[in-house]
Each structure stands twice: as structure tokens, then as C-alpha cells.
Amino acid sequence: MMRTRPLKVALLGCGVVGSEVARIMTTHADDLAARIGAPVELAGVAVRRPDRVREGIARELITTDATALVKRGDIDVVVEVIGGIEPARTLITTAFEHGASVVSANKALLAQDGAALHAAAEEHGKDLYYEAAVAGAIPLIRPLRESLAGDKVNRVLGIVNGTTNFILDKMDSTGAGYQEALDEATALGYAEADPTADVEGFDAAAKAAILAGIAFHTRVRLDDVYREGMTEVTAADFASAKEMGCTIKLLAICERAEDGASVTARVHPAMIPLTHPLASVRGAYNAVFVESDASGQLMFYGPGAGGSPTASAVLGDLVAVCRNRLSGATGPGESAYAALTVSPMGEVVTRYHISLDVADKPGVLAQVATVFAEHGVSIDTVRQQGKDGEASLVVVTHRASDAALTGTVEALRKLDTVRGVASIMRVEGE
């Protein structure tokens, strides 16, 4: 039997995502009520600019006092889509203190203070759900947190930012340079006026921290994630990748060490083979590849951003939290029992593609090979082209640690025959 008294929802933020959440709550009200077992009612919407017209939202629901809204005491669920650290953090903890569960899309806050927020939710016996914080509409948090709860996840490898994937895809498919591809992304609305958070990897790093924490049952903060942007990727890098049967993607990579005692989390551009499933992810789409002991290899694919996809994830969490509310239960909280060490980037082992500008004369290759050998980095392949006293030397290594590769490059720069290091690119997915 359906309960007639509605569950009350407070919405913090009414931008692209928030307005879509409000629209779906209104247009799909009967379906949501049937799925939850009670009606859901939008009880208030906190905004910064109250005079803006918001179609479908009654004017009396609009308020600029978000604190008063979450303190009302009759609110069952707070949906936070304002982003940023403050005032979101304070509003969420205040919501717990006054009896509300929380659904959030705030990846930056969760990556920085997820442990404290989970602790606050547990202290007050409330839910904290955040499927929309990573990969938009793609169901990913819940499969990792629930469906794979009985499995051992060893690796999460993914494209988790649609803006960067659109730019790199354009560079790959059209031969465009970085700036040209960025300009097109901006014109189409895929890139913000200030794209720094996307192209420098900050957005993906926050998502990597969240994914690593859930996958490995270990607290991983944003500061634990190695981050490298993709602004230095060039058309020449794509040409080299194609010669190797690869393409280039900005990847979030979370890995468990072979001995199981530590994990790493990193974001950086990497070459991946065209045969890898992630190589075929085009445009602004996202995809995450999960490797585990029992289930093997799983891939999650779909639109990773935008109002409707993100709102879909928010509403999915809202239904789950409301069901919990009716049953008097709470869903899964933080699982950090493993408390594994988060290793620095220097210990990460992978393959590398290094392009050097060198003098075109006998003995150069031998000198370069000696430097690699002295630093314990094994060479897989070498390709050299030269003309008029100058040459390019492309070296692809076997697997080596980041620290060993860094020492190798520093030594190479000291050789008189090496004019410069044109590019260094990691090779993943093999």
C-alpha cells in the first residue's frame, strides 16, 4: 500500500542539473511515487539569483537561504548540486544534523572530504549517495559499491571526462591541433569558458579518488592522485601513436599492486592500443573498464555529463534513498576497512613512448641505449630518422617504474648528442 504523506525534498542549486532534476520530479511524479511507495514533493529550492525565471518551479519554493531550508526539520532528502567545497560541505553536514539524507553530485567535495561526510552520515543514521559525482548517467558507483561487493577489484581504467575525450578524439580523427579542437569543443558547449578543470585533469582526478576509494576499500583523497593534463599533447604525438597502432586518451587509472598491499591512482594522457575497448570511445562520451578476480573484465559506457544524464543519476539515488527512508534503513556507507597504502607515482610501473631530438651522427643510439640500461629501463623498440645533421629518435620501453624513467630522462638531457626531449607518453591498456 502506498503511503499518502509525501517525502519532502530540498534542492540546493537549480542550474543545468538542478533544473532538470526538478523537471523530472514534476513530470514523472506518478512513476516516482509508484517506484518509491510514497509521493515525493519538492519542498524548496535554494538558489543564488532568485529573480531568474525557472519554468515549472513555483515561485514560493525559491529561496536564497539554503541554511534555513536544510534546517527545517521536515525535509527527508537534500539534493545538493551546487558544487564546490563551501557552502556545500556545511550544508550537507547541517542536513544530516537536522534529519535529512543527502544525494550529491559534488565530486570535488567527495574527493576531498568524503571520509568526514560519510562519518557525519553514519553518526546521524542517514544516507549519503553520489552516483552522479562520477560519469554522469553511467551506473558505476552502485555496481562498484554493491554489485561487486563480493569480488576483488584490481584495476579501474577509464575515460571520465567528456570534454577532454571530445578534444582528443577531434585531434585524432581530423589531425587538428589542441587549440583548434578546444575551440570547437567550446563552440559546441562541451568546454567551459575556462576549461582548466577539464584539460588539466582536475575533474578526472577527483573522480579517480572516489573510484579508487570504493574499488579498493581504502580512503583515497584528491591529494593522493597523480595528475597530468593533456594540453601538451600534439598532432605529432597522435602520428606516433598511429604508427604503433594506438590512439591517445586522458585516462583515470586506479590499480592494486601485485602484492595487494598498496594502490595507486593517477590521471594522465596515455597511448592505448586500437584493439582496447576504450580506444573506440568517441566524442564526449565516457567509459570505465573494471578488472576484478571473479567477474573478469567489465565495461561501463555512456554519456558522462550534461543536465539530463546527470539528473538521471541523481533521481536514481533519490529513489534509493527514499525507499530506505520508508523502510527505516540506510544503504551502504563508507567501506575503508582495507586501509591500503596509497603509493606515489614514482612506484607506478608501465610502458613509455619517448621521442628525442638528437644529432644525426654515428654512436648516438649506443649512447642513448647505455643510459636506459644504466637506469634499469629495458628498451622494446627504437626508430630513428635523420636529415641534415638532425634526427628524431623514438624509444618504446618495456615496463618500468616512473622513478626509473624520470632518472633516465634526466640523464639523457645531459648528453651532448641529445638536443631535447620532444615528448614522453605512457602506454597503457596492454
Side-chain angles (χ1 to χ4, degrees), residues 238-398:
F238 274 101
S240 294
K242 287 180 179 180
E243 290 179 357
M244 292 178 58
C246 293
T247 188
I248 299 172
K249 300 290 186 182
L250 184 77
L251 299 178
I253 305 169
C254 312
E255 292 181 305
R256 187 191 300 268
E258 290 185 5
D259 62 7
S262 64
V263 298
T264 58
R266 51 199 166 101
V267 169
H268 54 71
M271 294 182 180
I272 58 172
L274 294 175
T275 53
H276 193 281
L278 291 180
S280 61
V281 177
R282 311 304 296 267
Y285 276 73
N286 284 193
V288 177
F289 204 70
V290 177
E291 300 175 13
S292 65
D293 277 0
S295 57
Q297 297 179 331
L298 305 170
M299 183 167 163
F300 301 84
Y301 170 85
S308 293
T310 306
S312 171
V314 170
L315 267 296
D317 278 351
L318 179 62
V319 169
V321 170
C322 286
R323 287 171 175 170
N324 291 344
R325 192 86 171 182
L326 290 178
S327 66
T330 55
E334 182 189 32
S335 176
Y337 74 90
L340 300 175
T341 300
V342 183
S343 298
M345 185 64 185
E347 297 180 17
V348 170
V349 175
T350 188
R351 297 177 66 207
Y352 291 87
H353 176 283
I354 304 102
S355 179
L356 304 172
D357 295 326
V358 300
D360 186 17
K361 61 182 183 180
V364 173
L365 180 56
Q367 287 183 330
V368 169
T370 297
V371 170
F372 275 88
E374 289 174 347
H375 288 80
V377 179
S378 178
I379 294 175
D380 182 15
T381 62
V382 178
R383 184 176 72 255
Q384 182 174 1
Q385 294 179 325
K387 183 179 180 181
D388 299 328
E390 298 295 332
S392 62
L393 189 65
V394 175
V395 179
V396 179
T397 74
H398 287 289

Side-chain angles (χ1 to χ4, degrees), residues 5 7 9 53 235 245 249 273 323 330 339:
R5 183 170 66 84
L7 292 161
V9 178
V53 175
K249 300 290 186 182
R323 287 171 175 170
T330 55

Side-chain angles (χ1 to χ4, degrees), residues 99-141:
S101 290
V102 173
V103 172
S104 176
N106 196 331
K107 55 187 170 288
L109 178 58
L110 288 159
Q112 179 172 306
D113 290 319
L117 295 178
H118 274 293
E122 183 177 0
E123 177 186 353
H124 296 283
K126 298 297 177 282
D127 276 324
L128 173 62
Y129 276 47
Y130 43 91
E131 184 68 63
V134 179
I138 304 172
L140 185 58
I141 300 297

Side-chain angles (χ1 to χ4, degrees), residues 27-316:
T27 57
H28 295 180
D30 291 342
D31 286 338
L32 290 173
R35 294 166 191 171
I36 292 168
V40 286
E41 174 187 302
L42 191 59
V45 181
V47 299
R48 287 185 297 175
R49 293 181 285 274
D51 296 331
R52 179 178 295 177
V53 175
R54 293 173 171 86
E55 186 176 346
I57 300 176
R59 192 166 186 82
E60 60 266 23
L61 295 180
I62 302 296
T63 178
T64 57
D65 194 344
T67 301
L69 179 59
V70 300
K71 282 184 174 181
R72 275 178 37 173
D74 64 336
I75 299 297
D76 293 288
V77 184
V78 169
V79 174
E80 182 273 310
V81 288
I82 57 178
I85 306 302
E86 289 291 358
R89 174 170 49 197
T90 299
L91 290 170
I92 288 173
T93 55
T94 301
F96 292 142
E97 292 165 1
H98 287 78
S101 290
V102 173
V103 172
S104 176
N106 196 331
K107 55 187 170 288
L109 178 58
L110 288 159
Q112 179 172 306
D113 290 319
L117 295 178
H118 274 293
E122 183 177 0
E123 177 186 353
H124 296 283
K126 298 297 177 282
D127 276 324
L128 173 62
Y129 276 47
Y130 43 91
E131 184 68 63
V134 179
I138 304 172
L140 185 58
I141 300 297
R142 192 171 287 115
L144 284 173
R145 193 159 67 169
E146 299 178 29
S147 303
L148 296 176
D151 206 343
K152 179 183 178 184
V153 176
N154 296 309
R155 196 176 197 223
V156 180
L157 174 75
I159 299 165
V160 295
N161 183 278
T163 299
T164 55
N165 198 61
F166 178 88
I167 293 170
L168 292 173
D169 183 36
K170 281 296 176 182
M171 293 176 70
D172 184 28
S173 61
T174 68
Y178 165 76
Q179 190 60 52
E180 182 182 351
L182 173 59
D183 290 344
E184 182 173 353
T186 303
L188 292 172
Y190 292 127
E192 301 287 345
D194 179 2
T196 302
D198 295 322
V199 300
E200 294 294 352
F202 291 101
D203 175 84
K207 295 170 181 176
I210 295 169
L211 291 174
I214 296 171
F216 306 133
H217 304 279
T218 293
R219 287 179 178 171
V220 180
R221 287 172 50 90
L222 181 59
D223 291 344
D224 295 321
V225 181
Y226 172 82
R227 177 194 56 79
E228 183 181 319
M230 42 78 72
T231 57
E232 301 301 318
V233 176
T234 66
D237 291 325
F238 274 101
S240 294
K242 287 180 179 180
E243 290 179 357
M244 292 178 58
C246 293
T247 188
I248 299 172
K249 300 290 186 182
L250 184 77
L251 299 178
I253 305 169
C254 312
E255 292 181 305
R256 187 191 300 268
E258 290 185 5
D259 62 7
S262 64
V263 298
T264 58
R266 51 199 166 101
V267 169
H268 54 71
M271 294 182 180
I272 58 172
L274 294 175
T275 53
H276 193 281
L278 291 180
S280 61
V281 177
R282 311 304 296 267
Y285 276 73
N286 284 193
V288 177
F289 204 70
V290 177
E291 300 175 13
S292 65
D293 277 0
S295 57
Q297 297 179 331
L298 305 170
M299 183 167 163
F300 301 84
Y301 170 85
S308 293
T310 306
S312 171
V314 170
L315 267 296

